[in-house]
Amino acid sequence: MTKILIIYTGGTIGMVNDPNNGMLIPFNFEQIKENVPELSRLDYELDVHSFNPVLDSSNMDPEIWKTLAELIYNRYDFYDGFVILHGSDTMAFTASALSFMLEDLGKAVILTGSQLPIGEIRTDAKENLITALEIAATKENGKSLFPEVCIYFDSQLFRGNRSIKYNSEKFEAFRSPNYPVLAEAGVHMQFNTNYVMKAPKDKLTLHTKFNSNIGVLKLYPGITPQAVTAITDSKVDAIILEAFGSGNTTTAQWFLDALRQAILSGKIIIDISQCKKGSVHLGRYETSRELLKMGIISGYDLTFESAVTKLMFVLGLGLPLEQSRKLMDESLRGELTKD
């Protein structure tokens, strides 16, 4: 029988109304089949691991990512797939982080959640949970059809490190602006396997050391030297530069000097676009030519969530600076597309 491990971290999906006071409280996921009777029609053996206490996803951090990754790694041989129930606010960060932590992943790890609690009449929770389980269990020739970390939400399956949360009010909460969806659940399941990661040849490797000492510099017209140097002169190890369009910045000399000094001090700077769709092309315009010359790394079409977690992961490897810079410029888990 197919065995799936459900890991419940918290979030809206696991909430029900307390009949005594009407407040939302977590339900006991050990009795998941009682709360979602439709699951009994799936021919799976389901085990549940619940966080205690459960967490609002706003409190997610690298230590919790480590706990999740270790759970999957330690139970990897006992299950055919994994479903993580997670609050939607930071789901894309967790999915991106896990993709880097679980190298040569050969089984599906599907994150899902909901916009309405599972006890609500109009909830999206049941469909998201049931279909995430079906996808996690799907195999071809005895191997998982989706050997990667994914997010399933509102009938669509996305690569985890390509996903963003873009809407807090609609069931369609997530999008993958720069990569095709991996599957769509309509009347029939449509699997777009051409876009799925290839099954690994090596055994699963676990990485748990993250360095979160990074800064974020988001540009805007009129940004001041004080605002810029507060980041570039700080004691961070790396900086994400959220630039305009295809990676462009102001050409003011004071600004370029601040970035150059940060690089000379040993900081990694990666340039990503403020645009949700599209890619960074350093050197295409005069406004980014100097960035390329001074050694700023192109983030190509990385999402912000993936840029943050990839930097944490690469810095955590403790490699020499040039090796770290090289890894940031490469696609490690399908997180970016180089032109």
Side-chain angles (χ1 to χ4, degrees):
M1 182 179 288
T2 299
K3 294 186 67 175
I4 304 293
L5 178 63
I6 299 172
I7 302 171
Y8 174 48
T9 67
T12 302
I13 190 169
M15 298 294 177
V16 292
N17 279 306
D18 186 334
N20 296 320
N21 56 28
M23 294 179 63
L24 290 174
I25 58 171
F27 75 53
N28 183 358
F29 258 89
E30 296 301 328
Q31 280 81 45
I32 189 171
K33 287 189 176 179
E34 295 177 17
N35 290 281
V36 190
E38 295 89 343
L39 294 178
S40 62
R41 298 175 63 182
L42 298 175
D43 190 23
Y44 308 150
E45 182 178 336
L46 301 177
D47 289 337
V48 180
H49 178 94
S50 293
F51 275 34
N52 185 19
V54 295
L55 298 167
D56 186 293
S57 74
S58 298
N59 289 320
M60 282 290 160
D61 62 30
E63 280 301 308
I64 301 170
W65 296 337
K66 177 182 176 181
T67 298
L68 281 169
E70 288 176 338
L71 264 172
I72 293 167
Y73 182 79
N74 292 332
R75 305 189 186 192
Y76 189 72
D77 292 335
F78 302 104
Y79 294 95
D80 299 284
F82 302 84
V83 171
I84 300 174
L85 304 181
H86 193 291
S88 61
D89 285 348
T90 61
M91 188 182 293
F93 287 95
T94 298
S96 298
L98 289 176
S99 75
F100 298 118
M101 300 173 88
L102 299 169
E103 183 178 2
D104 291 315
L105 179 65
K107 297 177 182 180
V109 175
I110 313 294
L111 284 85
T112 194
S114 65
Q115 296 287 68
L116 285 175
I118 204 164
E120 296 287 331
I121 294 174
R122 293 178 51 251
T123 185
D124 55 331
K126 290 185 179 182
E127 191 280 326
N128 284 349
L129 172 58
I130 292 168
T131 308
L133 288 168
E134 288 186 317
I135 291 171
T138 302
K139 293 183 179 182
E140 186 174 66
N141 298 323
K143 295 184 178 181
S144 174
L145 199 61
F146 297 96
E148 56 177 292
V149 180
C150 303
I151 287 177
Y152 178 79
F153 227 91
D154 193 42
S155 303
Q156 293 187 307
L157 183 72
F158 308 104
R159 175 166 294 165
N161 57 34
R162 293 284 195 153
S163 305
I164 62 169
K165 182 177 180 181
Y166 91 103
N167 198 309
S168 62
E169 296 183 346
K170 292 186 177 181
F171 289 149
E172 185 194 358
F174 287 86
R175 283 186 178 174
S176 175
N178 291 308
Y179 199 77
V181 297
L182 305 184
E184 295 183 75
V187 175
H188 303 286
M189 294 287 286
Q190 179 181 335
F191 297 145
N192 303 320
T193 53
N194 288 341
Y195 302 116
V196 177
M197 296 284 286
K198 302 299 181 186
K201 297 180 180 178
D202 298 322
K203 290 185 177 181
L204 178 66
T205 299
L206 176 66
H207 302 277
T208 59
K209 293 182 179 179
F210 269 37
N211 178 352
S212 57
N213 189 30
I214 62 176
V216 178
L217 177 56
K218 185 166 187 171
L219 296 190
Y220 53 89
I223 194 169
T224 64
Q226 293 89 338
V228 171
T229 55
I231 301 298
T232 58
D233 291 352
S234 66
K235 294 182 179 180
V236 295
D237 296 318
I239 296 170
I240 295 172
L241 176 62
E242 285 196 85
F244 306 123
S246 57
N248 304 313
T249 68
T250 174
T251 56
Q253 195 59 49
W254 66 263
F255 177 77
L256 298 176
D257 288 345
L259 296 182
R260 189 175 290 109
Q261 185 57 43
I263 291 174
L264 290 174
S265 71
K267 294 180 176 69
I268 293 174
I269 301 181
I270 183 166
D271 185 327
I272 66 172
S273 178
Q274 294 181 16
C275 301
K276 298 304 182 186
K277 189 170 179 62
S279 186
V280 166
H281 300 278
L282 290 182
R284 173 177 287 182
Y285 299 98
E286 180 186 357
T287 47
S288 67
R289 195 168 299 146
E290 284 300 314
L291 306 180
L292 187 63
K293 288 181 181 178
M294 73 175 70
I296 286 178
I297 302 167
S298 173
Y300 302 99
D301 56 355
L302 279 175
T303 63
F304 175 72
E305 294 88 340
S306 194
V308 167
T309 53
K310 183 177 181 180
L311 261 180
M312 290 181 179
F313 164 71
V314 169
L315 292 173
L317 294 174
L319 300 172
L321 180 60
E322 283 309 308
Q323 281 185 258
S324 296
R325 288 172 52 84
K326 188 173 184 294
L327 288 179
M328 289 305 302
D329 189 60
E330 296 175 355
S331 178
L332 306 179
R333 310 283 192 270
E335 73 278 4
L336 61 80
T337 304
K338 296 180 71 169
D339 295 335

